[in-house]
Amino acid sequence: MSETVYDAVVVGGGPSGATIATDLARAGRKVLLLDRAGRIKPCGGAVPPRLLEEFGIPHSLLVARARAARMIAPSDRKVDMPVGEIGYVGMVDRDVFDEWLRKRAAQAGAERRTGTFERIERTEGEAPTVCYREARGGDIKRVRTRLVIGADGARSAVAAQNIAGAERMKCVFAYHEIIESPQGTSDAFDGARCDVFYQGHLSPDFYAWVFPHGKTASIGVGSANKGFSLRGSVARMRDDLGLKACETIRREGAPIPLKPLKRWDNGTDVIVAGDAAGVVAPASGEGIYYAMMGGRCVAQAADAFLATGQPAALRQARKAFMREHGKVFWILGMMQHFWYSSDKRRERFVTMCADRDVQQLTWEAYMNKRLVRAKPVAHLRIFMKDCAHLLGLRAAA
């Protein structure tokens, strides 16, 4: 009996990897989805309604719908940003959400296996071989494939071994605790509101958050400062907000990339996606939608590569993604660089969030996942206000 050669082995079963496996299997490709068991990424779990529509996600997977966001400044000033009539921020639990995506991939025809990627072996004239272990210290298992797709996170072993410069990817380190939600609603916690803390003592260079998940809540923080205590910051938040007594269900930590890689493929037989490709929005840290959207771009490029045998087809994945979202990522990157650098600037940033023009365009951009071009006058007003805040010509409160 001849050895099975897969069209693609997808390493990593998060939103990006599962989406790729589903799309390729539906296209008639022979796909292996290789994923580590029991891994849950620390994540606020926010998704826009557009994600449910574009990727056929049932509303039943939403555990909460946030109707507002609250921005908290270093001075403890609070600015509420209601979503209004244009939508909501959906909240998902990653353990349930990710497993549903993996099961859908299997239903589409992808083969699932549990294992941890080790390396790729190559023999001239033959398809590459993916080596993995089913358990730590276990024997090496091998499968052959025409294409390897790395969707194995920000510290991707696939990317580090095959994509030049991937090992130097800059990341924010995120940590959160999933707790049992407190009973009732208070100023400190509202099950229909996402709270974002722009306070240097909680994060010197990013932000902290409290996101509702129905019966549970995510309390977390991110920072690129390796000497900063993320656990200590979350403990302070829980104490200050009266959430210390809430039962802790689990604790999770992981790096989150700050910028897309300049190249996603190795020019022959490997391409990366999701966090491995760096597709997390700067400033906001939003990743689920972009992981799935980027995954779809990778699946389309992979299908073209498998059809033609031309490695150049793989380059189209990054081009398609950046064409659609590159400008938004650039603007958010500039926002993070300027507004998160000091408590003085964070204070001004939260003040800007009280502006109705800013709120409206922010929510429209979030729901639509693109810059809103229909209101040039509002953009001009925001630009002028932004300059005034940067130059210190406008009061911070």
Side-chain angles (χ1 to χ4, degrees):
M1 185 174 179
S2 61
E3 181 184 6
T4 298
V5 178
Y6 292 91
D7 290 317
V9 170
V10 182
V11 181
S16 187
T19 298
I20 295 167
T22 299
D23 286 1
L24 286 177
R26 286 175 174 173
R29 302 300 179 182
K30 188 170 184 59
V31 181
L32 173 64
L33 178 60
L34 182 67
D35 187 55
R36 291 186 294 169
R39 181 74 175 101
I40 307 172
K41 179 187 173 183
C43 174
V47 297
R50 178 176 173 178
L51 179 144
L52 307 183
E53 299 168 6
E54 289 189 14
F55 296 96
I57 306 298
H59 287 248
S60 60
L61 286 177
L62 298 181
V63 294
R65 300 186 187 208
R67 301 290 180 178
R70 170 171 286 184
M71 309 300 184
I72 300 98
S75 66
D76 218 30
R77 178 189 179 188
K78 301 175 180 65
V79 171
D80 287 348
M81 299 177 63
V83 177
E85 301 299 320
I86 63 173
Y88 57 87
V89 180
M91 310 303 297
V92 297
D93 285 336
R94 286 293 300 271
D95 53 344
V96 176
F97 182 75
D98 289 15
E99 178 59 16
W100 187 91
L101 292 174
R102 290 189 286 267
K103 285 182 178 178
R104 182 169 69 172
Q107 291 167 357
E111 179 183 339
R112 286 184 64 179
R113 291 191 195 178
T114 299
T116 300
F117 172 85
E118 289 286 331
R119 63 184 181 273
I120 300 173
E121 294 177 346
R122 294 180 174 85
T123 301
E124 188 174 354
E126 296 184 3
T129 298
V130 172
C131 302
Y132 69 96
R133 299 181 192 272
E134 293 178 343
R136 184 185 294 273
D139 294 338
I140 288 286
K141 305 290 184 178
R142 290 175 169 83
V143 292
R144 293 178 63 198
T145 180
R146 296 174 62 193
L147 179 65
V148 181
I149 302 176
D152 50 336
R155 291 289 185 247
S156 164
V158 175
Q161 294 176 22
N162 297 278
I163 309 295
E167 73 282 358
R168 298 190 297 274
M169 176 187 285
K170 293 184 178 180
C171 293
V172 162
F173 296 90
Y175 169 79
H176 80 160
E177 296 178 1
I178 298 295
I179 67 167
E180 183 178 327
S181 294
Q183 297 295 316
T185 297
S186 67
D187 187 60
F189 179 85
D190 187 332
R193 188 188 70 218
C194 296
D195 293 353
V196 186
F197 296 79
Y198 296 100
Q199 299 179 329
H201 72 283
L202 294 178
S203 173
D205 52 356
F206 203 58
Y207 65 81
W209 68 83
V210 177
F211 286 176
H213 282 232
K215 294 180 180 180
T216 64
S218 164
I219 303 181
V221 64
S223 176
N225 187 335
K226 293 184 179 180
F228 184 75
S229 174
L230 302 178
R231 286 177 177 263
S233 180
V234 170
R236 279 195 298 275
M237 290 175 64
R238 293 185 63 171
D239 193 37
D240 292 345
L241 297 172
L243 303 175
K244 188 175 182 180
C246 295
E247 179 185 353
T248 302
I249 297 171
R250 65 178 188 265
R251 299 176 174 89
E252 297 152 354
I256 298 175
L258 291 174
K259 189 176 182 180
L261 290 179
K262 292 183 178 180
R263 182 158 183 168
W264 294 3
D265 69 279
N266 70 343
T268 53
D269 53 18
V270 173
I271 188 169
V272 294
D275 281 11
V279 292
V280 174
S284 69
E286 182 188 357
I288 298 177
Y289 175 82
Y290 293 113
M292 295 178 73
M293 187 68 246
R296 179 146 289 171
C297 293
V298 167
Q300 291 169 351
D303 190 52
F305 164 78
L306 294 169
T308 65
Q310 297 298 317
L314 297 175
R315 300 177 190 172
Q316 296 307 310
R318 188 183 190 280
K319 290 181 179 179
F321 181 87
M322 296 305 289
R323 185 165 54 245
E324 182 74 12
H325 301 292
K327 289 182 180 178
V328 171
F329 272 46
W330 183 82
I331 290 172
L332 290 175
M334 294 296 290
M335 282 179 56
Q336 182 172 329
H337 175 74
F338 283 110
W339 293 118
Y340 293 6
S341 60
S342 70
D343 271 355
K344 183 178 180 180
R345 288 186 174 180
R346 292 187 189 98
E347 194 75 37
R348 294 186 181 277
F349 174 71
V350 173
T351 297
M352 282 186 61
C353 291
D355 186 276
R356 289 188 177 182
D357 290 331
V358 171
Q359 292 185 12
Q360 184 175 6
L361 292 184
T362 295
W363 286 125
E364 288 182 359
Y366 174 80
M367 299 299 168
N368 297 312
K369 286 292 170 277
R370 58 172 58 93
L371 297 177
V372 182
R373 298 182 176 87
K375 299 180 180 180
V377 175
H379 277 291
L380 178 61
R381 287 200 300 266
I382 291 173
F383 175 75
M384 296 303 293
K385 293 169 186 174
D386 195 36
C387 289
H389 279 287
L390 276 174
L391 296 172
L393 301 176
R394 190 179 180 94

